[in-house]
Amino acid sequence: MSNIKEVAQRAGVSISTVSRVMNNSKRVSPELAEKVRTVAFELGYNANQAAQSLRGAKSKRIAVIITSLSRTFFTSVLEGINKIADDCGYTILLAETHDDLTREIELVNNFVSQWVDGIILASSAYGKDQFTRNYISSLARLEKKGRRVPVVTLEYAFEHSDIDAVVIDSEKAAYHAVTYLIEQIGRRDIVHISLPSTHFMGRQRITGYLRALHDAGIPMRSDYIMQGDYTTYSGYRVVKLLIQTGKHFDAVFCANDQMAVGAILACNECGVSIPDQVAIVGNDDIFAASLVRPSLTSIQVPKYELGMSAMLRLQERLEEDAPHRQRIVTLDTQFVERGSTLKGYQEDLKNLVW
């Protein structure tokens, strides 16, 4: 029997459109709905109700587990997930782990017991110890009453696993950002405010930062890598301390925008001119990047698309008759220049949406 992906390809529409048609949604024009139903009939999709019942009834509920609701990054990601979930008739159940692996495992088990069809997971399982490896292995075998419960991870792909992931290349993005500061802005004393070093994305961005310094012939200074904790306050605290102690630096690359906003606030408070004395680059390009003054140069991560891609990948897994090997979707980033690195940059308040 054909699956939803084959119907979508034959009809020349998206998977979510096929799902809407098969669920009798009114959001699809009658002409398009008729085309999809014709293709579905020709391919035999959804014709064998007995075969469907053998798989077990679906709850039409998806669990989304993220590290923290306070991370502004996840707002657009959740919007992207919800867009596809809503189109496909799924309800979202949301929870946060606070980067606690024990809490993550509890949530996964609880959601499976609540009959969710699948899980989208921003995991904290970064360790290489046997306990963590056993947990990751168990995620690929989740099931309820003989029915598979597939998992798709966000930002981080498990190694040696069959679990799908939607990611960005954080090392490459960090490398380009720091190279930009060196080659385009002429900075050499570049501080990196990192994510916790135990986090995979944090290690990737540190690696990109160090590789850019190496390729430019700039010696690595361990005291120029200062750990933050995602929050605006941690960026503010680090830069305020650097200024107060008189350490020379002419640029800051922050591993996320919330910390970069804090760095800008510290410089403004201490009378340090941006970008003349210190240039600042963030990562993620959240909405606040265009509101802070000067506005923040940042690595634009396609957060909405990240969420959409994860939900589409999960939908495909739910339609498969048998599990397949791991599939990793890597999305591209863009570099957005603004006032925190460009001298004379004109802030355009009229274009902001309030």
Side-chain angles (χ1 to χ4, degrees):
M1 190 170 79
S2 298
N3 59 38
I4 193 171
K5 184 176 182 180
E6 292 171 319
V7 174
Q9 290 175 340
R10 175 76 69 85
V13 298
S14 66
I15 291 174
S16 59
T17 297
V18 176
S19 180
R20 288 198 297 270
V21 171
M22 304 311 290
N23 287 309
N24 297 313
S25 170
K26 296 181 180 180
R27 300 183 186 183
V28 183
S29 68
E31 295 80 10
L32 186 57
E34 181 62 27
K35 178 183 178 181
V36 171
R37 289 194 183 97
T38 299
V39 171
F41 176 79
E42 291 172 350
L43 294 177
Y45 177 71
N46 208 30
N48 190 344
Q49 297 297 330
Q52 277 198 342
S53 66
L54 289 175
R55 300 182 201 171
K58 292 182 179 179
S59 69
K60 303 299 288 185
R61 297 191 300 178
I62 296 296
V64 179
I65 303 173
I66 60 176
T67 54
S68 175
L69 290 169
S70 66
R71 282 188 61 193
T72 310
F73 172 87
F74 281 118
T75 302
S76 294
V77 175
L78 292 172
E79 289 176 351
I81 292 172
N82 191 67
K83 170 63 172 64
I84 302 300
D86 187 51
D87 287 346
C88 297
Y90 285 96
T91 298
I92 298 297
L93 305 178
L94 178 63
E96 60 180 342
T97 65
H98 302 291
D99 291 304
D100 184 335
L101 183 57
T102 300
R103 173 63 175 161
E104 177 182 321
I105 294 171
E106 290 175 353
L107 286 170
V108 168
N109 291 331
N110 287 342
F111 278 129
V112 170
S113 69
Q114 293 174 34
W115 295 90
V116 296
D117 293 333
I119 299 173
I120 295 176
L121 174 64
S123 183
S124 299
Y126 307 124
K128 303 296 183 181
D129 57 282
Q130 191 61 50
F131 176 81
T132 304
R133 292 201 300 270
N134 289 343
Y135 162 62
I136 293 172
S137 178
S138 73
L139 288 175
R141 302 190 304 271
L142 290 178
E143 63 175 44
K144 181 70 173 180
K145 297 293 184 179
R147 178 172 55 82
R148 290 185 304 114
V149 181
V151 176
V152 174
T153 60
L154 291 167
E155 296 191 277
Y156 174 52
F158 294 131
E159 295 180 353
H160 313 299
S161 171
D162 290 331
I163 298 172
D164 294 343
V166 182
V167 303
I168 60 167
D169 190 336
S170 291
E171 179 183 340
K172 178 181 177 182
Y175 176 85
H176 286 163
V178 177
T179 299
Y180 162 85
L181 286 169
I182 297 168
E183 296 183 353
Q184 302 298 319
I185 310 298
R187 306 304 164 95
R188 296 185 65 83
D189 296 315
I190 304 170
V191 169
H192 177 43
I193 304 180
S194 74
L195 303 178
S197 58
T198 55
H199 292 192
F200 177 75
M201 284 77 68
R203 295 197 299 270
Q204 276 198 318
R205 288 165 194 170
I206 289 173
T207 300
Y209 162 81
L210 293 175
R211 185 160 62 88
L213 294 181
H214 176 270
D215 288 354
I218 299 175
M220 186 276 289
R221 290 183 54 177
S222 59
D223 59 332
Y224 271 32
I225 300 176
M226 308 187 74
Q227 183 171 293
D229 62 6
Y230 291 96
T231 66
T232 299
Y233 177 72
S234 67
Y236 170 86
R237 173 179 49 79
V238 167
V239 172
K240 187 73 175 289
L241 179 64
L242 289 171
I243 295 170
Q244 289 177 336
T245 56
K247 180 174 289 188
H248 177 73
F249 63 104
D250 57 16
V252 181
F253 168 54
C254 297
N256 80 341
D257 281 352
Q258 286 175 261
M259 295 190 297
V261 168
I264 289 176
L265 294 176
C267 286
N268 288 343
E269 183 178 296
C270 295
V272 175
S273 177
I274 305 170
D276 299 278
Q277 292 175 277
V278 174
I280 299 176
V281 174
N283 194 107
D284 295 337
D285 196 34
I286 62 175
F287 184 56
S290 61
L291 293 179
V292 70
R293 291 293 174 264
S295 55
L296 177 64
T297 293
S298 185
I299 300 164
Q300 186 181 79
V301 175
K303 299 173 286 296
Y304 186 79
E305 291 77 8
L306 190 75
M308 289 182 63
S309 296
M311 186 61 214
L312 285 170
R313 185 81 281 280
L314 186 62
Q315 171 72 3
E316 291 179 358
R317 280 294 194 186
L318 289 167
E319 293 293 334
E320 292 172 348
D321 293 322
H324 295 279
R325 291 183 177 180
Q326 182 185 48
R327 297 172 185 171
I328 300 175
V329 178
T330 303
L331 302 181
D332 292 329
T333 60
Q334 292 184 327
F335 194 73
V336 181
E337 294 179 276
R338 297 193 182 96
S340 65
T341 60
L342 295 177
K343 294 181 180 180
Y345 181 81
Q346 297 298 312
E347 307 288 3
D348 190 356
L349 294 173
K350 292 184 294 183
N351 289 336
L352 293 177
V353 179
W354 299 90

PDB file of all heavy atoms in Angstrom, residues 247-283:
ATOM      1  N   LYS A 247      40.411  44.395  30.711  1.00  0.00           N
ATOM      2  CA  LYS A 247      40.925  43.485  29.691  1.00  0.00           C
ATOM      3  C   LYS A 247      40.631  44.048  28.308  1.00  0.00           C
ATOM      4  O   LYS A 247      39.515  44.472  28.019  1.00  0.00           O
ATOM      5  CB  LYS A 247      40.294  42.105  29.843  1.00  0.00           C
ATOM      6  CG  LYS A 247      40.780  41.098  28.799  1.00  0.00           C
ATOM      7  CD  LYS A 247      40.248  39.702  29.055  1.00  0.00           C
ATOM      8  CE  LYS A 247      40.910  39.094  30.271  1.00  0.00           C
ATOM      9  NZ  LYS A 247      40.562  37.661  30.447  1.00  0.00           N
ATOM     10  N   HIS A 248      41.654  44.033  27.450  1.00  0.00           N
ATOM     11  CA  HIS A 248      41.458  44.588  26.099  1.00  0.00           C
ATOM     12  C   HIS A 248      40.753  43.571  25.204  1.00  0.00           C
ATOM     13  O   HIS A 248      41.142  42.417  25.114  1.00  0.00           O
ATOM     14  CB  HIS A 248      42.797  44.962  25.464  1.00  0.00           C
ATOM     15  CG  HIS A 248      42.632  45.456  24.055  1.00  0.00           C
ATOM     16  ND1 HIS A 248      42.111  46.691  23.757  1.00  0.00           N
ATOM     17  CD2 HIS A 248      42.882  44.848  22.850  1.00  0.00           C
ATOM     18  CE1 HIS A 248      42.056  46.844  22.447  1.00  0.00           C
ATOM     19  NE2 HIS A 248      42.513  45.741  21.879  1.00  0.00           N
ATOM     20  N   PHE A 249      39.705  44.030  24.547  1.00  0.00           N
ATOM     21  CA  PHE A 249      39.023  43.221  23.526  1.00  0.00           C
ATOM     22  C   PHE A 249      38.343  44.191  22.566  1.00  0.00           C
ATOM     23  O   PHE A 249      37.931  45.290  22.953  1.00  0.00           O
ATOM     24  CB  PHE A 249      38.007  42.264  24.152  1.00  0.00           C
ATOM     25  CG  PHE A 249      36.867  42.938  24.872  1.00  0.00           C
ATOM     26  CD1 PHE A 249      35.601  43.007  24.294  1.00  0.00           C
ATOM     27  CD2 PHE A 249      37.038  43.500  26.140  1.00  0.00           C
ATOM     28  CE1 PHE A 249      34.552  43.623  24.947  1.00  0.00           C
ATOM     29  CE2 PHE A 249      35.992  44.113  26.806  1.00  0.00           C
ATOM     30  CZ  PHE A 249      34.744  44.175  26.218  1.00  0.00           C
ATOM     31  N   ASP A 250      38.274  43.786  21.307  1.00  0.00           N
ATOM     32  CA  ASP A 250      37.662  44.675  20.320  1.00  0.00           C
ATOM     33  C   ASP A 250      36.465  44.040  19.610  1.00  0.00           C
ATOM     34  O   ASP A 250      35.884  44.641  18.694  1.00  0.00           O
ATOM     35  CB  ASP A 250      38.689  45.167  19.295  1.00  0.00           C
ATOM     36  CG  ASP A 250      39.403  44.041  18.562  1.00  0.00           C
ATOM     37  OD1 ASP A 250      38.915  42.895  18.601  1.00  0.00           O
ATOM     38  OD2 ASP A 250      40.464  44.313  17.958  1.00  0.00           O
ATOM     39  N   ALA A 251      36.095  42.837  20.009  1.00  0.00           N
ATOM     40  CA  ALA A 251      34.915  42.185  19.441  1.00  0.00           C
ATOM     41  C   ALA A 251      34.436  41.097  20.389  1.00  0.00           C
ATOM     42  O   ALA A 251      35.215  40.544  21.180  1.00  0.00           O
ATOM     43  CB  ALA A 251      35.212  41.589  18.070  1.00  0.00           C
ATOM     44  N   VAL A 252      33.139  40.783  20.281  1.00  0.00           N
ATOM     45  CA  VAL A 252      32.542  39.706  21.060  1.00  0.00           C
ATOM     46  C   VAL A 252      31.668  38.880  20.124  1.00  0.00           C
ATOM     47  O   VAL A 252      30.802  39.422  19.430  1.00  0.00           O
ATOM     48  CB  VAL A 252      31.681  40.238  22.218  1.00  0.00           C
ATOM     49  CG1 VAL A 252      31.103  39.071  23.028  1.00  0.00           C
ATOM     50  CG2 VAL A 252      32.470  41.174  23.115  1.00  0.00           C
ATOM     51  N   PHE A 253      31.913  37.574  20.100  1.00  0.00           N
ATOM     52  CA  PHE A 253      31.033  36.659  19.386  1.00  0.00           C
ATOM     53  C   PHE A 253      30.280  35.854  20.434  1.00  0.00           C
ATOM     54  O   PHE A 253      30.871  35.126  21.226  1.00  0.00           O
ATOM     55  CB  PHE A 253      31.815  35.714  18.470  1.00  0.00           C
ATOM     56  CG  PHE A 253      30.980  34.588  17.934  1.00  0.00           C
ATOM     57  CD1 PHE A 253      29.792  34.833  17.265  1.00  0.00           C
ATOM     58  CD2 PHE A 253      31.371  33.266  18.117  1.00  0.00           C
ATOM     59  CE1 PHE A 253      29.002  33.788  16.792  1.00  0.00           C
ATOM     60  CE2 PHE A 253      30.599  32.216  17.640  1.00  0.00           C
ATOM     61  CZ  PHE A 253      29.412  32.481  16.979  1.00  0.00           C
ATOM     62  N   CYS A 254      28.964  36.016  20.456  1.00  0.00           N
ATOM     63  CA  CYS A 254      28.131  35.343  21.442  1.00  0.00           C
ATOM     64  C   CYS A 254      27.442  34.140  20.804  1.00  0.00           C
ATOM     65  O   CYS A 254      26.967  34.220  19.666  1.00  0.00           O
ATOM     66  CB  CYS A 254      27.079  36.296  21.991  1.00  0.00           C
ATOM     67  SG  CYS A 254      27.768  37.711  22.888  1.00  0.00           S
ATOM     68  N   ALA A 255      27.330  33.061  21.553  1.00  0.00           N
ATOM     69  CA  ALA A 255      26.764  31.829  21.021  1.00  0.00           C
ATOM     70  C   ALA A 255      25.252  31.876  20.882  1.00  0.00           C
ATOM     71  O   ALA A 255      24.664  30.994  20.268  1.00  0.00           O
ATOM     72  CB  ALA A 255      27.170  30.642  21.889  1.00  0.00           C
ATOM     73  N   ASN A 256      24.610  32.892  21.462  1.00  0.00           N
ATOM     74  CA  ASN A 256      23.196  33.122  21.146  1.00  0.00           C
ATOM     75  C   ASN A 256      22.889  34.615  21.286  1.00  0.00           C
ATOM     76  O   ASN A 256      23.676  35.391  21.846  1.00  0.00           O
ATOM     77  CB  ASN A 256      22.257  32.252  21.993  1.00  0.00           C
ATOM     78  CG  ASN A 256      22.019  32.791  23.389  1.00  0.00           C
ATOM     79  OD1 ASN A 256      22.772  33.606  23.897  1.00  0.00           O
ATOM     80  ND2 ASN A 256      20.960  32.323  24.036  1.00  0.00           N
ATOM     81  N   ASP A 257      21.748  35.029  20.771  1.00  0.00           N
ATOM     82  CA  ASP A 257      21.407  36.446  20.742  1.00  0.00           C
ATOM     83  C   ASP A 257      21.060  37.002  22.106  1.00  0.00           C
ATOM     84  O   ASP A 257      21.310  38.184  22.381  1.00  0.00           O
ATOM     85  CB  ASP A 257      20.221  36.682  19.797  1.00  0.00           C
ATOM     86  CG  ASP A 257      20.616  36.692  18.337  1.00  0.00           C
ATOM     87  OD1 ASP A 257      21.828  36.676  18.048  1.00  0.00           O
ATOM     88  OD2 ASP A 257      19.718  36.725  17.479  1.00  0.00           O
ATOM     89  N   GLN A 258      20.451  36.194  22.964  1.00  0.00           N
ATOM     90  CA  GLN A 258      20.103  36.705  24.280  1.00  0.00           C
ATOM     91  C   GLN A 258      21.349  37.165  25.034  1.00  0.00           C
ATOM     92  O   GLN A 258      21.348  38.220  25.679  1.00  0.00           O
ATOM     93  CB  GLN A 258      19.351  35.644  25.081  1.00  0.00           C
ATOM     94  CG  GLN A 258      17.910  35.446  24.602  1.00  0.00           C
ATOM     95  CD  GLN A 258      17.199  34.315  25.316  1.00  0.00           C
ATOM     96  OE1 GLN A 258      17.091  33.216  24.804  1.00  0.00           O
ATOM     97  NE2 GLN A 258      16.689  34.580  26.493  1.00  0.00           N
ATOM     98  N   MET A 259      22.427  36.415  24.950  1.00  0.00           N
ATOM     99  CA  MET A 259      23.682  36.837  25.592  1.00  0.00           C
ATOM    100  C   MET A 259      24.272  38.050  24.882  1.00  0.00           C
ATOM    101  O   MET A 259      24.862  38.930  25.510  1.00  0.00           O
ATOM    102  CB  MET A 259      24.669  35.673  25.620  1.00  0.00           C
ATOM    103  CG  MET A 259      24.217  34.507  26.483  1.00  0.00           C
ATOM    104  SD  MET A 259      25.471  33.241  26.785  1.00  0.00           S
ATOM    105  CE  MET A 259      25.777  32.616  25.128  1.00  0.00           C
ATOM    106  N   ALA A 260      24.111  38.112  23.551  1.00  0.00           N
ATOM    107  CA  ALA A 260      24.633  39.257  22.800  1.00  0.00           C
ATOM    108  C   ALA A 260      23.906  40.537  23.174  1.00  0.00           C
ATOM    109  O   ALA A 260      24.512  41.614  23.251  1.00  0.00           O
ATOM    110  CB  ALA A 260      24.516  38.992  21.295  1.00  0.00           C
ATOM    111  N   VAL A 261      22.599  40.449  23.395  1.00  0.00           N
ATOM    112  CA  VAL A 261      21.839  41.619  23.851  1.00  0.00           C
ATOM    113  C   VAL A 261      22.386  42.089  25.195  1.00  0.00           C
ATOM    114  O   VAL A 261      22.556  43.296  25.430  1.00  0.00           O
ATOM    115  CB  VAL A 261      20.341  41.281  23.951  1.00  0.00           C
ATOM    116  CG1 VAL A 261      19.584  42.377  24.702  1.00  0.00           C
ATOM    117  CG2 VAL A 261      19.747  41.110  22.550  1.00  0.00           C
ATOM    118  N   GLY A 262      22.698  41.153  26.077  1.00  0.00           N
ATOM    119  CA  GLY A 262      23.299  41.518  27.355  1.00  0.00           C
ATOM    120  C   GLY A 262      24.648  42.189  27.186  1.00  0.00           C
ATOM    121  O   GLY A 262      24.981  43.151  27.906  1.00  0.00           O
ATOM    122  N   ALA A 263      25.439  41.721  26.215  1.00  0.00           N
ATOM    123  CA  ALA A 263      26.740  42.333  25.940  1.00  0.00           C
ATOM    124  C   ALA A 263      26.578  43.772  25.469  1.00  0.00           C
ATOM    125  O   ALA A 263      27.339  44.670  25.871  1.00  0.00           O
ATOM    126  CB  ALA A 263      27.480  41.503  24.890  1.00  0.00           C
ATOM    127  N   ILE A 264      25.593  44.019  24.632  1.00  0.00           N
ATOM    128  CA  ILE A 264      25.327  45.380  24.158  1.00  0.00           C
ATOM    129  C   ILE A 264      24.907  46.278  25.312  1.00  0.00           C
ATOM    130  O   ILE A 264      25.376  47.424  25.439  1.00  0.00           O
ATOM    131  CB  ILE A 264      24.244  45.357  23.056  1.00  0.00           C
ATOM    132  CG1 ILE A 264      24.813  44.751  21.771  1.00  0.00           C
ATOM    133  CG2 ILE A 264      23.714  46.764  22.785  1.00  0.00           C
ATOM    134  CD1 ILE A 264      23.796  44.591  20.650  1.00  0.00           C
ATOM    135  N   LEU A 265      24.036  45.769  26.172  1.00  0.00           N
ATOM    136  CA  LEU A 265      23.586  46.560  27.321  1.00  0.00           C
ATOM    137  C   LEU A 265      24.753  46.942  28.225  1.00  0.00           C
ATOM    138  O   LEU A 265      24.821  48.073  28.726  1.00  0.00           O
ATOM    139  CB  LEU A 265      22.539  45.773  28.111  1.00  0.00           C
ATOM    140  CG  LEU A 265      21.206  45.494  27.394  1.00  0.00           C
ATOM    141  CD1 LEU A 265      20.310  44.625  28.267  1.00  0.00           C
ATOM    142  CD2 LEU A 265      20.509  46.784  27.022  1.00  0.00           C
ATOM    143  N   ALA A 266      25.691  46.015  28.439  1.00  0.00           N
ATOM    144  CA  ALA A 266      26.849  46.294  29.284  1.00  0.00           C
ATOM    145  C   ALA A 266      27.729  47.373  28.666  1.00  0.00           C
ATOM    146  O   ALA A 266      28.202  48.286  29.360  1.00  0.00           O
ATOM    147  CB  ALA A 266      27.648  45.024  29.514  1.00  0.00           C
ATOM    148  N   CYS A 267      27.971  47.272  27.365  1.00  0.00           N
ATOM    149  CA  CYS A 267      28.788  48.274  26.677  1.00  0.00           C
ATOM    150  C   CYS A 267      28.122  49.645  26.734  1.00  0.00           C
ATOM    151  O   CYS A 267      28.781  50.668  27.005  1.00  0.00           O
ATOM    152  CB  CYS A 267      29.023  47.869  25.222  1.00  0.00           C
ATOM    153  SG  CYS A 267      30.198  46.520  25.011  1.00  0.00           S
ATOM    154  N   ASN A 268      26.823  49.689  26.477  1.00  0.00           N
ATOM    155  CA  ASN A 268      26.108  50.971  26.523  1.00  0.00           C
ATOM    156  C   ASN A 268      26.171  51.582  27.916  1.00  0.00           C
ATOM    157  O   ASN A 268      26.367  52.793  28.067  1.00  0.00           O
ATOM    158  CB  ASN A 268      24.643  50.757  26.114  1.00  0.00           C
ATOM    159  CG  ASN A 268      24.479  50.472  24.630  1.00  0.00           C
ATOM    160  OD1 ASN A 268      25.381  50.730  23.832  1.00  0.00           O
ATOM    161  ND2 ASN A 268      23.330  49.941  24.256  1.00  0.00           N
ATOM    162  N   GLU A 269      26.015  50.766  28.926  1.00  0.00           N
ATOM    163  CA  GLU A 269      26.028  51.246  30.307  1.00  0.00           C
ATOM    164  C   GLU A 269      27.393  51.800  30.693  1.00  0.00           C
ATOM    165  O   GLU A 269      27.497  52.777  31.456  1.00  0.00           O
ATOM    166  CB  GLU A 269      25.633  50.105  31.237  1.00  0.00           C
ATOM    167  CG  GLU A 269      25.528  50.487  32.702  1.00  0.00           C
ATOM    168  CD  GLU A 269      25.092  49.318  33.562  1.00  0.00           C
ATOM    169  OE1 GLU A 269      23.953  48.843  33.375  1.00  0.00           O
ATOM    170  OE2 GLU A 269      25.890  48.873  34.411  1.00  0.00           O
ATOM    171  N   CYS A 270      28.451  51.181  30.155  1.00  0.00           N
ATOM    172  CA  CYS A 270      29.814  51.575  30.521  1.00  0.00           C
ATOM    173  C   CYS A 270      30.421  52.604  29.556  1.00  0.00           C
ATOM    174  O   CYS A 270      31.608  52.947  29.675  1.00  0.00           O
ATOM    175  CB  CYS A 270      30.714  50.348  30.593  1.00  0.00           C
ATOM    176  SG  CYS A 270      30.255  49.182  31.898  1.00  0.00           S
ATOM    177  N   GLY A 271      29.651  53.062  28.602  1.00  0.00           N
ATOM    178  CA  GLY A 271      30.144  54.077  27.680  1.00  0.00           C
ATOM    179  C   GLY A 271      31.108  53.552  26.632  1.00  0.00           C
ATOM    180  O   GLY A 271      31.903  54.316  26.076  1.00  0.00           O
ATOM    181  N   VAL A 272      31.073  52.253  26.345  1.00  0.00           N
ATOM    182  CA  VAL A 272      31.916  51.659  25.304  1.00  0.00           C
ATOM    183  C   VAL A 272      31.171  51.749  23.979  1.00  0.00           C
ATOM    184  O   VAL A 272      30.043  51.252  23.855  1.00  0.00           O
ATOM    185  CB  VAL A 272      32.247  50.189  25.638  1.00  0.00           C
ATOM    186  CG1 VAL A 272      33.016  49.541  24.494  1.00  0.00           C
ATOM    187  CG2 VAL A 272      33.043  50.108  26.933  1.00  0.00           C
ATOM    188  N   SER A 273      31.785  52.365  22.989  1.00  0.00           N
ATOM    189  CA  SER A 273      31.126  52.612  21.720  1.00  0.00           C
ATOM    190  C   SER A 273      31.064  51.345  20.862  1.00  0.00           C
ATOM    191  O   SER A 273      32.067  50.662  20.657  1.00  0.00           O
ATOM    192  CB  SER A 273      31.864  53.704  20.943  1.00  0.00           C
ATOM    193  OG  SER A 273      31.278  53.911  19.665  1.00  0.00           O
ATOM    194  N   ILE A 274      29.855  51.052  20.360  1.00  0.00           N
ATOM    195  CA  ILE A 274      29.629  49.922  19.457  1.00  0.00           C
ATOM    196  C   ILE A 274      29.242  50.473  18.089  1.00  0.00           C
ATOM    197  O   ILE A 274      28.334  51.284  17.992  1.00  0.00           O
ATOM    198  CB  ILE A 274      28.476  49.025  19.974  1.00  0.00           C
ATOM    199  CG1 ILE A 274      28.726  48.562  21.414  1.00  0.00           C
ATOM    200  CG2 ILE A 274      28.255  47.833  19.063  1.00  0.00           C
ATOM    201  CD1 ILE A 274      27.515  47.871  22.048  1.00  0.00           C
ATOM    202  N   PRO A 275      29.906  50.089  17.023  1.00  0.00           N
ATOM    203  CA  PRO A 275      30.977  49.083  16.907  1.00  0.00           C
ATOM    204  C   PRO A 275      32.396  49.669  16.914  1.00  0.00           C
ATOM    205  O   PRO A 275      33.344  48.936  16.693  1.00  0.00           O
ATOM    206  CB  PRO A 275      30.687  48.466  15.549  1.00  0.00           C
ATOM    207  CG  PRO A 275      30.216  49.627  14.732  1.00  0.00           C
ATOM    208  CD  PRO A 275      29.416  50.478  15.676  1.00  0.00           C
ATOM    209  N   ASP A 276      32.522  50.987  17.163  1.00  0.00           N
ATOM    210  CA  ASP A 276      33.843  51.615  17.041  1.00  0.00           C
ATOM    211  C   ASP A 276      34.886  50.962  17.936  1.00  0.00           C
ATOM    212  O   ASP A 276      35.991  50.638  17.484  1.00  0.00           O
ATOM    213  CB  ASP A 276      33.735  53.111  17.358  1.00  0.00           C
ATOM    214  CG  ASP A 276      32.803  53.837  16.403  1.00  0.00           C
ATOM    215  OD1 ASP A 276      33.237  54.194  15.310  1.00  0.00           O
ATOM    216  OD2 ASP A 276      31.622  53.999  16.765  1.00  0.00           O
ATOM    217  N   GLN A 277      34.544  50.778  19.201  1.00  0.00           N
ATOM    218  CA  GLN A 277      35.493  50.152  20.121  1.00  0.00           C
ATOM    219  C   GLN A 277      35.309  48.631  20.194  1.00  0.00           C
ATOM    220  O   GLN A 277      36.294  47.894  20.243  1.00  0.00           O
ATOM    221  CB  GLN A 277      35.327  50.764  21.515  1.00  0.00           C
ATOM    222  CG  GLN A 277      35.761  52.222  21.612  1.00  0.00           C
ATOM    223  CD  GLN A 277      35.449  52.799  22.982  1.00  0.00           C
ATOM    224  OE1 GLN A 277      34.332  53.238  23.248  1.00  0.00           O
ATOM    225  NE2 GLN A 277      36.430  52.776  23.870  1.00  0.00           N
ATOM    226  N   VAL A 278      34.070  48.199  20.214  1.00  0.00           N
ATOM    227  CA  VAL A 278      33.772  46.772  20.311  1.00  0.00           C
ATOM    228  C   VAL A 278      32.660  46.415  19.324  1.00  0.00           C
ATOM    229  O   VAL A 278      31.587  47.024  19.358  1.00  0.00           O
ATOM    230  CB  VAL A 278      33.337  46.380  21.739  1.00  0.00           C
ATOM    231  CG1 VAL A 278      32.897  44.912  21.780  1.00  0.00           C
ATOM    232  CG2 VAL A 278      34.468  46.605  22.734  1.00  0.00           C
ATOM    233  N   ALA A 279      32.942  45.450  18.453  1.00  0.00           N
ATOM    234  CA  ALA A 279      31.922  44.918  17.547  1.00  0.00           C
ATOM    235  C   ALA A 279      31.323  43.665  18.186  1.00  0.00           C
ATOM    236  O   ALA A 279      32.027  42.897  18.836  1.00  0.00           O
ATOM    237  CB  ALA A 279      32.525  44.578  16.190  1.00  0.00           C
ATOM    238  N   ILE A 280      30.016  43.466  17.979  1.00  0.00           N
ATOM    239  CA  ILE A 280      29.336  42.344  18.624  1.00  0.00           C
ATOM    240  C   ILE A 280      28.508  41.577  17.600  1.00  0.00           C
ATOM    241  O   ILE A 280      27.775  42.169  16.800  1.00  0.00           O
ATOM    242  CB  ILE A 280      28.421  42.825  19.771  1.00  0.00           C
ATOM    243  CG1 ILE A 280      29.264  43.531  20.843  1.00  0.00           C
ATOM    244  CG2 ILE A 280      27.642  41.659  20.386  1.00  0.00           C
ATOM    245  CD1 ILE A 280      28.444  44.132  21.976  1.00  0.00           C
ATOM    246  N   VAL A 281      28.636  40.237  17.646  1.00  0.00           N
ATOM    247  CA  VAL A 281      27.871  39.349  16.769  1.00  0.00           C
ATOM    248  C   VAL A 281      27.159  38.314  17.631  1.00  0.00           C
ATOM    249  O   VAL A 281      27.754  37.748  18.559  1.00  0.00           O
ATOM    250  CB  VAL A 281      28.773  38.642  15.740  1.00  0.00           C
ATOM    251  CG1 VAL A 281      27.972  37.608  14.944  1.00  0.00           C
ATOM    252  CG2 VAL A 281      29.409  39.650  14.796  1.00  0.00           C
ATOM    253  N   GLY A 282      25.896  38.067  17.314  1.00  0.00           N
ATOM    254  CA  GLY A 282      25.124  37.058  18.030  1.00  0.00           C
ATOM    255  C   GLY A 282      24.846  35.849  17.159  1.00  0.00           C
ATOM    256  O   GLY A 282      25.408  35.689  16.073  1.00  0.00           O
ATOM    257  N   ASN A 283      23.973  35.000  17.645  1.00  0.00           N
ATOM    258  CA  ASN A 283      23.619  33.773  16.926  1.00  0.00           C
ATOM    259  C   ASN A 283      22.149  33.454  17.170  1.00  0.00           C
ATOM    260  O   ASN A 283      21.714  33.405  18.320  1.00  0.00           O
ATOM    261  CB  ASN A 283      24.477  32.605  17.409  1.00  0.00           C
ATOM    262  CG  ASN A 283      24.416  31.391  16.501  1.00  0.00           C
ATOM    263  OD1 ASN A 283      25.358  31.095  15.777  1.00  0.00           O
ATOM    264  ND2 ASN A 283      23.310  30.669  16.523  1.00  0.00           N
TER     265      ASN A 283
END
